[in-house]
Amino acid sequence: MESLFILVDSTSYGYNDHYLQLLSIMAIVTGISVIVIKNPILSVLFLIGLFMSISSYLLLLGLNFIGLSYLLVYIGAVSILFLFILMLINVRISELQAETSNGLPLALLIGISFYSIIYEISPFKIADNINNDIPVVI
């Protein structure tokens, strides 16, 4: 009698999948911060943080070439170019002092709904369903 072996690997190159979830949450938070923050220099710095979290996510998944090229192209070229352009433009601090946070509730709603949709199709949810539905025969 043949047995069906189902192996579910919840690790990626020795890293626990909770690190991947932490990086995805950090990417969503920094992406929301890029939109919400009024200071353009801080917004570019959060954009660099977003690219770093996405690049490290790809590196943890084992996509080393794509992660390193993402790191070099987006952080090394595009973000630094944005930062230099913003430093060349004389941005007045008085224009940035207006305290309006109209977009914060909308950004939080979009971030939570986006994460819940992505979580439904993520490998973590699929692995949980496989573990709960199909018994593993060893």
Side-chain angles (χ1 to χ4, degrees):
M1 175 179 257
E2 295 182 25
S3 298
L4 178 64
F5 293 102
I6 298 175
L7 297 174
V8 178
D9 187 14
S10 64
T11 60
S12 174
Y13 289 109
Y15 289 98
N16 199 351
D17 61 347
H18 296 295
Y19 294 125
L20 296 176
Q21 289 179 354
L22 179 70
L23 283 172
S24 64
I25 290 172
M26 188 168 48
I28 290 172
V29 167
T30 54
I32 290 172
S33 299
V34 168
I35 297 169
V36 172
I37 298 230
K38 299 282 185 185
N39 192 347
I41 294 175
L42 286 177
S43 180
V44 169
L45 291 177
F46 276 111
L47 185 68
I48 291 172
L50 173 67
F51 291 151
M52 283 290 291
S53 62
I54 292 173
S55 175
S56 57
Y57 189 89
L58 290 172
L59 288 172
L60 283 178
L61 284 178
L63 303 171
N64 295 330
F65 178 74
I66 296 173
L68 288 176
S69 62
Y70 201 87
L71 186 77
L72 289 173
V73 170
Y74 285 107
I75 295 174
V78 175
S79 297
I80 301 302
L81 179 68
F82 285 162
L83 197 59
F84 284 148
I85 289 172
L86 286 175
M87 288 181 170
L88 287 175
I89 298 172
N90 189 9
V91 178
R92 294 188 189 110
I93 300 298
S94 62
E95 295 175 0
L96 302 174
Q97 295 297 329
E99 289 294 328
T100 57
S101 60
N102 295 336
L104 187 61
L106 180 63
L108 289 174
L109 178 70
I110 290 172
I112 291 170
S113 63
F114 182 74
Y115 186 74
S116 65
I117 291 170
I118 293 299
Y119 182 74
E120 288 296 322
I121 61 172
S122 70
F124 312 118
K125 181 72 172 182
I126 294 169
D128 289 340
N129 287 340
I130 288 174
N131 286 337
N132 292 336
D133 294 341
I134 300 172
V136 177
V137 178
I138 296 178

